[in-house]
Amino acid sequence: MLFEPVRIRSLQLTNRIVMAPMTRSRAIERNIPNALMAEYYAQRASAGLIITEAVSPSPNGLGYPRIPGLFTAEHVRGWSLITDAVHARGGKILIQLMHTGRVAHVANLPADAEILGPVDGVCPGEMYTDALGLQPFSPARAMSEQDIAQAVDEFAQSAGLAIEAGFDGVELHAANGYLIEQFLNPNVNQRTDGYGGGIEGRNRFALEVTCAVAGAIGADKVGIRLSPYGVFNGTGAFDDVDAQSLALCAELSALGLLYLHLLDHSAMGTPPVPEELKAQLRSRFDGPFILAGGFDRVTAEAAISEHRADLIAFGRPFLANPDLVERMRAGAELNAPDMSTFYTPDAKGYTDYPALGA
């Protein structure tokens, strides 16, 4: 079943294999996508669906070095190179919109940008900067309700630009400790107003962003990625994580979204998302369901045949194997990824991995 065509809402896909979103840091000039990035994505167009690396809808969300943006005409032109290249090879491609929020350093941001988060404070840990090397995260300012409204609007405007740039839809990144999950997670979100204080308040920002984006481009072009039990960027599990996730799922389901994308980080050593919660989210979301996290061909096929998911997302295997679909279909050996080149600025470890027969 993994290699069979499937239709999800408005999209006809050639197979059930999804290229997961993965930061690659190749937008070297003013966070503008470029021809090298177009080559990278085109190489992987045999995936049933490509979800791009995380892309900021705002200058304030460019917390990492060289991550791409989508909020200017230059960005639209750059992304159009990529969507054209993928579509020319018969692929489908969504853009993942991610605001880094407090996961940022001022050296990575444009001069007029500001680091914002649900509350005042500093994300624990360090981050790389091109100018200064490894640095502690910079302090974030707590967002006012006006700031929140502006961020919601930025997501919606960026989604509109995504359609202008030729994307087949967008995925909202509500995982891995970035801005949307910063509001979802009470280990970060200590607000006591209408955007915190309990399940309904913590879910509010995610739902407002999703509704605004769906209103801008149509709900059947909007997916969302969640990672309950994730620990990245100072998040981590909390007492009512299951109840909150299920409440959020119910609200998202009612919108008629393109899909729900659930990420389990346990293959990287973090606590697993309980199988019971995965099953409950699967059953309560009325629409296509994607699972991600440590799958290979055998486990992916099992998840689909057992109706635990409609599609399976693969991350690092796609970094090193532009022809991953063909390799898995043939049972061929996979190239090993070179971690030292994951976030470097050039073609090495990006577009130079060999295809079968090369």
Side-chain angles (χ1 to χ4, degrees), residues 27 29-33 53-72 75 79 96 98-116 127-130 154 158 178-179:
E29 295 292 336
R30 302 189 308 282
N31 308 97
I32 300 170
E53 63 209 275
V55 178
S56 179
S58 166
N60 297 333
L62 293 168
Y64 288 105
R66 292 173 272 108
I67 64 171
L70 183 52
F71 48 85
T72 71
H75 293 143
W79 283 117
Q96 188 192 64
M98 177 194 81
H99 191 305
T100 54
R102 70 176 192 156
V103 183
H105 190 278
V106 292
N108 294 330
L109 295 179
D112 57 348
E114 183 179 10
I115 300 174
L116 302 172
M127 109 171 339
Y128 179 79
T129 69
D130 284 335
E154 286 171 339
S158 189
Y178 300 110
L179 185 62

Side-chain angles (χ1 to χ4, degrees), residues 25-34 37 66 344-346:
S25 302
R26 261 68 178 190
I28 55 177
E29 295 292 336
R30 302 189 308 282
N31 308 97
I32 300 170
N34 52 51
M37 293 168 62
R66 292 173 272 108
T344 46
D346 55 24

